[in-house]
Amino acid sequence: MLKEFKEFALKGNVVDLAIGVIIGAAFGRIVESLVGDIIMPLIGAIGSVDFSNYFFGLNKAVTSPVLVDAKKQGAVLAYGNFLTIAVNFLIIAFVLFLVVKGINTLRRKEAAKPAEPVAPPQDIALLSEIRDLLKQRQA
């Protein structure tokens, strides 16, 4: 059983998948930082909007205009956090679209390059020379 597990775990596909997950997690953190630290503050500065503090109090005891305090007072429907996550998703999806589009463009350029003809093996080239010399002698 241990031998079978070792064969499974060390197959190329499993290792490739593991590497992809690790790189994906790192890329996710980069995009999360891009959205949270660069893009969202710019959106907030342009429109003076802070989505995270948007909520509805679900009972009359909720009087605070600040979400953290309102949650202490009672039940709230905090739709601002959902809006922030939805905007983050749209930005991440757009960034991933640009990455995939760039990769596809590079692949098309690679495919468009004409492949250099492969030189025949040395023995085939030598036989071709002999054939050509024999044709010249017969003519």
Side-chain angles (χ1 to χ4, degrees), residues 1 15 20 31 35 58 83 104 108 117 121 127-128 134:
M1 187 167 155
V15 174
V31 173
V35 170
L58 297 178
L83 288 175
N104 287 340
R108 275 188 236 120
L127 288 171
S128 296
L134 286 173

Side-chain angles (χ1 to χ4, degrees), residues 10-131:
L10 296 179
K11 280 186 179 177
N13 294 341
V14 175
V15 174
D16 291 344
L17 178 63
I19 291 170
V21 167
I22 292 168
I23 290 174
F27 183 75
R29 291 179 61 195
I30 290 170
V31 173
E32 182 180 321
S33 176
L34 172 71
V35 170
D37 299 332
I38 296 173
I39 295 174
M40 288 306 286
L42 290 174
I43 291 173
I46 292 171
S48 299
V49 176
D50 181 15
F51 295 132
S52 63
N53 207 33
Y54 287 7
F55 66 92
F56 290 121
L58 297 178
N59 61 31
K60 293 181 182 183
V62 178
T63 57
S64 175
V66 179
L67 178 61
V68 174
D69 296 333
K71 283 184 175 181
K72 292 177 185 174
Q73 294 174 342
V76 295
L77 181 67
Y79 66 92
N81 191 38
F82 174 77
L83 288 175
T84 301
I85 291 172
V87 169
N88 287 354
F89 170 77
L90 292 174
I91 293 168
I92 290 169
F94 182 70
V95 168
L96 289 175
F97 168 75
L98 292 177
V99 167
V100 170
K101 184 176 175 143
I103 289 171
N104 287 340
T105 302
L106 289 175
R107 283 186 181 165
R108 275 188 236 120
K109 286 182 182 177
E110 283 281 320
K113 290 181 182 176
E116 293 183 18
V118 179
Q122 189 176 8
D123 57 344
I124 301 292
L126 185 59
L127 288 171
S128 296
E129 283 181 42
I130 293 171
R131 179 197 65 207

